[in-house]
Amino acid sequence: RIDMDTTGSLVVCKNDKAHQSLSEQLKVHSIRRIYVAIVHGNIKEDSGTVNAPIGRHPTDRKKMSTHCKNGRDAVTHYKVVEEKNGHSLVSLILETGRTHQIRVHMQYLGFPLVGDYLYNPDMEYIHRQALHSWKLSFIHPITKEPMEFTAELPKDMKNILIH
């Protein structure tokens, strides 16, 4: 699953056997998902890990938050790829897959995603969060071969880094 308005790679199962295999890979964290995002500001640390539980926001049911009573473990690793025009292009690897995890963790660090109408309603540059599922790797459910797929950064996100 990816958030609405997130671009990029995703996998769709054609049958129950494939679904069960990929679900198991997700459970044991063997599927590798690398995202890229453009955030406001220049991150001081070139890389790091956010380990902050995520749950429902205490007052806004549409949002998720790190400030909740019953949050579930959530771990995101990040690396700054490029800084330009007061923004950072960040590569992100998920250990867990919580709802809005990248969006919430980057806001938690103080670097919200550009265009994120829910967590940073500035609508700067694009009318969606600047989040892209760049690379997806997993073991094929039938052939057991390693599979890897990438999706080029979309034009709207490239334009943010150019201007």
Side-chain angles (χ1 to χ4, degrees), residues 49-133:
T49 298
V50 182
N51 187 346
I54 293 176
R56 278 280 162 220
H57 190 280
T59 59
D60 187 341
R61 299 297 297 159
K62 292 181 182 180
K63 288 183 173 183
M64 303 304 283
S65 175
T66 56
H67 305 289
C68 55
K69 292 180 182 176
N70 299 317
R72 294 176 68 195
D73 288 343
V75 179
T76 305
H77 304 282
Y78 70 89
K79 182 178 180 181
V80 177
V81 176
E82 178 181 355
E83 292 181 338
K84 196 167 187 183
N85 303 324
H87 297 95
S88 298
L89 176 66
V90 184
S91 170
L92 303 127
I93 297 175
L94 301 177
E95 271 191 37
T96 53
R98 305 293 172 230
T99 301
H100 301 174
Q101 179 173 323
I102 290 171
R103 298 162 69 188
V104 171
H105 275 173
M106 294 313 293
Q107 181 193 39
Y108 171 80
L109 289 178
F111 302 98
L113 272 64
V114 168
D116 191 339
Y117 64 93
L118 189 59
Y119 295 97
N120 182 38
D122 65 0
M123 303 305 270
E124 181 183 12
Y125 300 109
I126 59 176
H127 295 284
R128 67 174 187 88
Q129 68 272 3
L131 181 60
H132 180 71
S133 174

Side-chain angles (χ1 to χ4, degrees), residues 6 11 21 31-32 37 39 45 48 59 61 67 71 74 85 100 109 116 118 120-121 135-136 146-147 153 156:
T6 298
V11 64
S21 173
I31 292 180
R32 186 169 168 90
V39 300
E45 297 82 22
T59 59
R61 299 297 297 159
H67 305 289
N85 303 324
H100 301 174
L109 289 178
D116 191 339
L118 189 59
N120 182 38
K135 186 181 282 189
L136 182 61
M147 308 291 292
L153 196 65
D156 60 354

